Amino acid sequence: MIPTHAQHPNPRSRSRQRLDNVRYAIRDLASVADEVTKQGHKVLSLNVGDPNIFDFQTPPHLIEAVYKAMRENRNGYAPSPGIPEALESIRAEAARKGITTVQDVFVTSGASEAVDICLTALVNPGESILTPSPDYPLYSAVLCKLGIPVATYDLNEDDGWQPDLFDLQRKITSRTRALVLINPNNPTGALCSRRMLELVADLARRNNLVILADEIYDKLILNDDSEKDAHISIAALAPDVPVVTFGGLSKNYLAPGWRIGWGIVSGNTNAVKPYVEGIHRLLRARLCANHPEQYAIKAALDGPQDHLVETRAKLRARRDLTVQWCNSTPRMRCVSPRGAFYAFPSLEINEGDDVFVKELCRQKHVLVVHGSGFGQKPGSRHFRIVFLPDEPTLTKAYQSIADFMAERYK
């Protein structure tokens, strides 16, 4: 008997249902900005974490390495895991980070592809992966694509946005396969303490979980160089626990458009071997990451780091300006970010933060991202600021936001 249409629904409708919850708040606001631009206004974008649209430049020695590779016709396919010299440099970088049980490294088209591949290789239908709330929306988008319900654990705003260990522990079930740790965090700029990392690692160890450690901002630490304010890789504190550490050129090395990222798999050999095999099957299936740009990895990791001094100095000044403004503005408060280039102030307003950001763009032509686009505790309201622009530009934007709040929330 031939099955009827009713027995086999249109596959496109199934696809649409599976993707209904895929959102990317950072770019989903583009339609509002386009609407304002068409009216003849210039929109000040504080929504996208792209240093290169402001006063940051990709280090010249990285550009030269890529240019040299292109001139030498390194323009064909690369090996699926990455070119040998890049993999060697990533292993050396892992050693500098104190990761002693590296089992594998691989290069991807941005850290985003590494995240996608590692989630896909790990989780099965009916299982779950715990992501922080708030978090970078890529993780929930990939899980929705895979048909995996989003499961979150809270970050504690009253504790500098550190993971809420009690909430994390109570969310772990027999179906939990992994937990995501974004450190420094996007969107809050929080930096995990050594003690917190040890506690999270112990929780993963006791529950046989993989840790997916997003450390894409690990060299953009904005406080002093004391041990309290240093970045620590969780894989270095837990050599026995299966950890995938994500990194890349986008943020630390100011080359987001090159789409070069990587993953470092560490932990007990027997525990991670099947997982690594699955990752490599997916790496082979998508052929390779950008080839000539991979030659910038060695130049970046092994070469001069001078640009980081200036980058951190700029970001530190802009962070301080941002936090001072937030905490002196009525109906707003902000935990001071310790890393990356984001602030995540809370709002005391009587409407949704999604309405707040849309009306702010329409009326004052300043574009930020609503906190609900990153996840947040029910009843709370936040918005994310990208403080990459120079101080005069930020000052102008902040005055516009303050004026908007004074006019709208009397």
Side-chain angles (χ1 to χ4, degrees):
M1 178 179 175
I2 299 174
T4 67
H5 177 74
Q7 290 172 308
H8 288 269
N10 188 320
R12 291 195 300 171
S13 66
R14 289 202 300 268
S15 175
R16 283 197 297 269
Q17 291 171 2
R18 182 163 46 84
L19 300 180
D20 277 349
N21 293 320
V22 174
R23 298 285 187 272
Y24 192 76
I26 300 164
R27 297 209 174 198
D28 286 349
L29 290 167
S31 60
V32 179
D34 288 345
E35 167 193 324
V36 173
T37 301
K38 288 175 182 177
Q39 295 170 357
H41 303 291
K42 183 178 180 180
V43 174
L44 175 56
S45 296
L46 303 181
N47 65 315
V48 177
D50 184 348
N52 298 70
I53 63 177
F54 301 105
D55 58 339
F56 298 87
Q57 297 286 327
T58 307
H61 62 289
L62 273 66
I63 296 172
E64 180 56 35
V66 174
Y67 181 42
K68 181 175 182 290
M70 288 180 171
R71 288 199 317 264
E72 293 176 354
N73 200 30
R74 311 289 187 185
N75 300 311
Y77 291 124
S80 293
I83 62 173
E85 68 180 62
L87 300 178
E88 181 182 348
S89 292
I90 295 168
R91 285 183 177 273
E93 176 74 357
R96 286 190 290 270
K97 289 162 73 77
I99 305 173
T100 58
T101 55
V102 175
Q103 302 298 333
D104 190 63
V105 299
F106 52 90
V107 179
T108 52
S109 296
S112 298
E113 188 189 40
V115 168
D116 194 333
I117 285 173
C118 289
L119 288 173
T120 303
L122 179 63
V123 68
N124 297 303
E127 297 175 340
S128 70
I129 291 176
L130 284 168
T131 63
S133 177
D135 81 334
Y136 183 57
L138 167 70
Y139 292 91
S140 57
V142 172
L143 291 172
C144 286
K145 181 186 75 171
L146 297 173
I148 303 298
V150 175
T152 63
Y153 66 90
D154 291 338
L155 303 181
N156 187 351
E157 188 170 10
D158 295 329
D159 188 27
W161 291 113
Q162 298 284 302
D164 183 330
L165 201 69
F166 175 76
D167 189 62
L168 175 57
Q169 185 168 356
R170 74 185 183 88
K171 297 285 182 61
I172 296 172
T173 72
S174 60
R175 295 184 177 275
T176 307
R177 292 296 309 276
L179 64 89
V180 174
L181 186 74
I182 306 173
N183 182 40
N185 180 264
N186 178 6
T188 67
L191 182 68
C192 280
S193 66
R194 173 182 285 269
R195 180 57 179 157
M196 179 57 67
L197 292 173
E198 290 172 341
L199 292 170
V200 170
D202 187 57
L203 200 57
R205 182 182 293 113
R206 287 187 283 112
N207 289 277
N208 298 314
L209 303 181
V210 176
I211 297 174
L212 301 173
D214 188 333
E215 299 183 1
I216 194 74
Y217 301 95
D218 65 340
K219 296 184 181 180
L220 299 181
I221 307 304
L222 305 184
N223 290 2
D224 59 37
D225 294 326
S226 68
E227 183 177 349
K228 175 185 175 183
D229 292 308
H231 179 270
I232 302 168
S233 289
I234 194 167
L237 298 180
D240 58 314
V241 175
V243 179
V244 185
T245 304
F246 301 120
L249 298 183
S250 294
K251 311 301 183 179
N252 294 334
Y253 294 96
L254 309 175
W258 287 2
R259 309 310 302 134
I260 290 294
W262 55 78
I264 302 167
V265 185
S266 60
N268 178 276
T269 304
N270 293 330
V272 303
K273 185 178 179 181
Y275 185 31
V276 168
E277 290 173 352
I279 289 171
H280 277 268
R281 283 198 294 272
L282 293 172
L283 290 171
R284 291 191 294 270
R286 62 57 156 139
L287 296 182
C288 65
N290 293 337
H291 189 180
E293 284 84 354
Q294 292 188 46
Y295 289 88
I297 295 175
K298 179 176 177 61
L301 298 181
D302 300 346
Q305 307 293 305
D306 303 356
H307 74 284
L308 287 169
V309 177
E310 179 185 6
T311 298
R312 286 192 292 254
K314 286 181 178 180
L315 294 178
R316 191 176 297 117
R318 296 167 195 187
R319 183 273 310 270
D320 293 346
L321 170 66
T322 300
V323 172
Q324 181 181 14
W325 169 75
C326 286
N327 289 331
S328 62
T329 300
R331 299 179 178 270
M332 194 182 302
R333 66 184 178 91
C334 184
V335 175
S336 183
R338 295 170 61 197
F341 35 70
Y342 309 105
F344 200 63
S346 64
L347 294 166
E348 295 178 8
I349 58 175
N350 57 4
E351 61 186 352
D353 50 32
D354 57 336
V355 177
F356 169 84
V357 301
K358 289 176 183 177
E359 290 306 310
L360 173 65
C361 185
R362 289 179 178 129
Q363 296 181 33
K364 298 298 182 181
H365 319 139
V366 177
L367 186 60
V368 294
V369 186
H370 47 296
S372 50
F374 300 94
Q376 56 190 352
K377 283 188 176 180
S380 66
R381 296 168 177 83
H382 298 82
F383 68 105
R384 191 189 74 167
I385 298 171
V386 175
F387 54 80
L388 285 168
D390 58 34
E391 286 94 325
T393 302
L394 288 174
T395 299
K396 180 181 178 181
Y398 296 159
Q399 185 59 57
S400 294
I401 299 173
D403 290 346
F404 172 78
M405 293 187 69
E407 294 163 8
R408 190 172 181 87
Y409 308 112
K410 297 177 182 179

